Amino acid sequence: MIVILKPNAPQDEYDKLVKWLSSFDVKVNAITGTQKQILGLVGDTSKIDIEAVRAQEIVENVQRVQEPYKNANRKFHPENTVIDVEGRKIGDGSLQVIAGPCSVESEEQIITTAIAVKEAGATMLRGGAFKPRTSPYSFQGLRADGIELLLQAKKVTGLPIVTEIMSLAHIDLFADVDVIQVGARNMQNFELLKALGHSDKPVLLKRGLANTIEELLMSAEYIMAGGNDKVMLCERGIRTFETMTRNTLDISAVPLLKQLSHLPVVVDPSHATGMTKLVEPLSLASLVCGADALIIEVHNDPKNALSDGAQSLTPAQFAQVMKNIKKQADFMGKNIG
Ligand code: PEP
Ligand code: MN
């Protein structure tokens, strides 16, 4: 971090600032130029609030030269993090495909869909039990019963389950869930992130609708700061001026996240576009860009789905998409599963 001081800063203010900055366990190097006095901070500056430094009376400007995230930063952890979910490895160079309905709706729906996605080659099952809906009058999910149904589907298929948590109050209900999803709308629910930091469950952290890549990494940092380093970063599309698609898939986020962080990267082409026809091309693009996993919505009867039917593939469509994903994975020398 570089701190540029205002000209003629009073000595006592200067001493106070240096003392305060040194209290963060960093080395403070003073550089006196002809025009300006500069402080160069060396060490781990991630605990220093840049805005608090900027607010100091004698400070003219501050610049970070190091990212504010440390645990998630590839600079401090060059090897890829590999997360093991019941033997499925995420981040080891293979590809995992998480598939299933947006919402768990009934025993028949989730079991039928789980069997179909497994047959087509999916390696994990998704399904929302707690649903973050824009309207309070829309289907809100089967809640605890939904988790029970997912566990039944896991028994039948052997597929590990991924499901979304919306509140800290429900954390005990997730004891047998394999991967806890934090949805886009909760990416900055910091109390929830802190609680998941104290859990040993893998977390699939989705990027918020209007959040930057750095904010996504800082949310991962919240979980990791608590001791849980099993975090997957998920690009699921962001809000832009474009209205043709539900969101805009920020495909550049995929290789960028892989460069900035050692955490596995997951892409959700379903929520990114809202259109079944775009799921295959964007899945293939994600693979080429280095995604470690895909999360795809599949429903046994999309027309009658209680949520996200327009973006949900039928089992037959999913099987076709999987064929082409497999071709691409083979070409890249990647195993699925
Ligand atoms: C979901 O996975 O069904 C979901 C609600 O996702 P997102 O948080 O990305 O909107
Ligand atoms: Mn959905």
Side-chain angles (χ1 to χ4, degrees):
M1 187 178 281
I2 293 169
V3 184
I4 302 157
L5 304 183
K6 287 182 184 158
N8 310 317
Q11 189 65 40
D12 60 329
E13 292 289 324
Y14 173 88
D15 293 342
K16 254 198 262 167
L17 180 67
V18 171
K19 194 169 170 215
W20 176 59
L21 292 170
S22 305
S23 73
F24 291 99
D25 262 351
V26 294
K27 196 160 179 289
V28 182
N29 294 321
I31 306 153
T32 310
T34 46
Q35 307 284 324
K36 297 217 182 287
Q37 172 120 41
I38 292 168
L39 300 176
L41 274 50
V42 184
D44 177 13
T45 57
S46 53
K47 292 204 171 67
I48 304 179
D49 177 358
I50 191 165
E51 294 312 323
V53 180
R54 206 188 302 281
Q56 301 299 311
E57 194 58 40
I58 61 166
V59 171
E60 187 172 278
N61 206 353
V62 197
Q63 272 177 3
R64 271 198 186 279
V65 287
Q66 193 166 291
E67 299 79 9
Y69 48 90
K70 182 166 183 252
N71 289 292
N73 199 328
R74 197 182 271 283
K75 274 186 198 151
F76 303 109
H77 188 298
E79 324 78 54
N80 288 330
T81 282
V82 179
I83 302 176
D84 189 314
V85 181
E86 304 250 298
R88 278 82 170 165
K89 303 238 168 32
I90 304 166
D92 71 342
S94 63
L95 178 76
Q96 301 298 333
V97 182
I98 307 162
C102 178
S103 302
V104 179
E105 299 169 8
S106 69
E107 181 177 334
E108 197 211 331
Q109 175 246 16
I110 191 66
I111 305 272
T112 315
T113 310
I115 292 172
V117 298
K118 182 174 182 187
E119 262 175 28
T123 57
M124 292 190 222
L125 176 67
R126 64 149 288 149
F130 292 90
K131 293 305 304 175
R133 306 303 302 280
T134 300
S135 166
Y137 310 117
S138 301
F139 177 59
Q140 300 288 306
L142 297 181
R143 303 168 70 87
D145 293 343
I147 294 184
E148 282 309 311
L149 293 177
L150 281 166
L151 291 168
Q152 272 188 42
K154 179 182 176 180
K155 250 196 208 140
V156 174
T157 58
L159 293 177
I161 55 173
V162 181
T163 194
E164 177 169 352
I165 192 165
M166 281 174 55
S167 163
L168 207 54
H170 303 144
I171 203 153
D172 291 345
L173 296 170
F174 287 70
D176 297 322
V177 164
D178 299 296
V179 176
I180 301 181
Q181 174 176 323
V182 174
R185 290 151 191 84
N186 270 311
M187 190 202 89
Q188 288 191 318
N189 181 339
F190 299 119
E191 289 300 317
L192 182 59
L193 301 177
K194 280 188 221 168
L196 292 171
H198 297 122
S199 142
D200 62 351
K201 296 263 179 216
V203 177
L204 190 154
L205 176 65
K206 288 191 154 196
R207 180 176 178 184
L209 279 71
N211 286 113
T212 63
I213 290 172
E214 185 163 289
E215 284 164 346
L216 171 61
L217 289 164
M218 290 308 287
S219 290
E221 194 73 16
Y222 259 93
I223 301 170
M224 298 176 89
N228 184 357
D229 53 9
K230 293 183 229 158
V231 183
M232 307 166 208
L233 305 167
C234 180
E235 166 57 41
R236 47 77 72 205
I238 49 173
R239 279 266 168 96
T240 68
F241 53 79
E242 184 53 72
T243 54
M244 286 260 186
T245 47
R246 185 176 181 186
N247 292 290
T248 297
L249 181 67
D250 181 6
I251 195 74
S252 53
V254 180
L256 206 46
L257 285 168
K258 295 292 297 180
Q259 284 166 29
L260 296 170
S261 177
H262 51 88
L263 297 172
V265 175
V266 182
V267 177
D268 177 343
S270 306
H271 290 89
T273 62
M275 292 157 86
T276 52
K277 280 206 159 54
L278 297 185
V279 170
E280 181 178 305
L282 292 186
S283 296
L284 300 179
S286 304
L287 237 86
V288 171
C289 285
D292 299 290
L294 297 166
I295 179 163
I296 298 177
E297 285 190 342
V298 181
H299 194 287
N300 61 330
D301 180 13
K303 277 195 210 71
N304 291 305
L306 296 181
S307 61
D308 287 352
Q311 68 194 34
S312 299
L313 302 177
T314 62
Q317 286 170 330
F318 177 65
Q320 187 55 41
V321 169
M322 277 303 286
K323 271 194 195 144
N324 291 324
I325 289 176
K326 183 153 189 327
K327 264 193 219 158
Q328 180 64 36
D330 285 347
F331 177 73
M332 294 173 72
K334 269 181 184 291
N335 288 326
I336 299 184

